[in-house]
Amino acid sequence: MDTPTARWRPPLIWRGAQLLARAVVGALARLEVTGDVPDGRRRGPLILAANHLSPFDPLVLAAACRARGVSPRFMATGGLFRAPLLGAAMRRAGHLRVDRGTAAVHRALDDAACAVAAGSVILVYPEGRIGLDPGLWPERGKTGTARLALASGATVVPVAQWGSHEVLPYRAPKGMLRAVVRAVWRRPVLRVHFGDPVVLGDVAADAPGAARRVTDRIIDAITDALVPLRPDEPDVPRHVDPGRPVDTSRAHRRRLP
């Protein structure tokens, strides 16, 4: 897509928050980042599509993106924006509010499209929630990310991560203190991999079912990038969070070529 002359720049508050995220992640675990984003796209326009494992994911991804020289604008649940201090900080940092389950949820896609048009890097969770697959594999995605990619023409890079579920439990802040102490003691390895861009050039935006096909491609790409990050845990994770519910209704079936 054509890049506008007036480009969005990450505010100082967000660049500082990324440095803080790197320090916090480093205090609790060991971060390993592999892969990269395409040359010339570190400042956008770009869509980063990541799997969602834990409430700790935003800190991990902020730190990993910092390691790759990227300052993405997160699409985050509206509840975070309603928090008195955190909400104000997120708005100043340029992050985008998603009010799931409300009539205003469609506004988030419009806001994201405007952000991409302004040259932003957007980070999204295509699953739309913290995954509840029993093996912690990516679930069937929502179509919002695909519709954003088709409408904007922006490059989509899959981002796979593994290990954040060992730092914070699903029901955090419940059980958070115990989990943090355990993480400091054990220092789990957090792996993040930036995969190859998803090939979307052969999909016409107005073709029937295009959003669903692109969504499946994005989830497939995240899954492929995740496989090498968990070679010793191909079926179920070693660390099982007893507070995480299980839901197999959104299991993703990989499409054959």
Side-chain angles (χ1 to χ4, degrees), residues 33-169:
V33 183
T34 55
D36 211 338
V37 300
D39 290 339
R41 286 290 181 240
R42 284 183 177 82
R43 295 186 179 181
L46 181 69
I47 300 171
L48 301 176
N51 60 320
H52 205 355
L53 296 172
S54 157
F56 197 57
D57 291 349
L59 285 176
V60 176
L61 292 172
C65 286
R66 171 71 186 181
R68 288 297 177 264
V70 181
S71 294
R73 302 170 72 176
F74 282 66
M75 296 191 73
T77 181
L80 296 177
F81 287 84
R82 290 191 290 271
L85 296 179
L86 178 61
M90 291 188 68
R91 284 188 291 272
R92 288 191 61 187
H95 300 307
L96 305 172
R97 177 172 179 163
V98 183
D99 290 300
R100 297 188 180 95
T102 72
V105 69
H106 299 291
R107 191 183 307 151
L109 186 60
D110 294 336
D111 292 343
C114 291
V116 172
S120 298
V121 179
I122 303 296
L123 190 144
V124 297
Y125 300 111
E127 296 164 278
R129 67 177 185 181
I130 294 176
L132 300 181
D133 180 82
L136 295 188
W137 288 101
E139 297 180 322
R140 184 173 70 249
K142 301 288 187 178
T143 60
T145 303
R147 286 184 283 128
L148 175 61
L150 290 170
S152 66
T155 300
V156 179
V157 169
V159 184
Q161 59 166 330
W162 185 247
S164 62
H165 59 292
E166 297 187 40
V167 178
L168 284 187

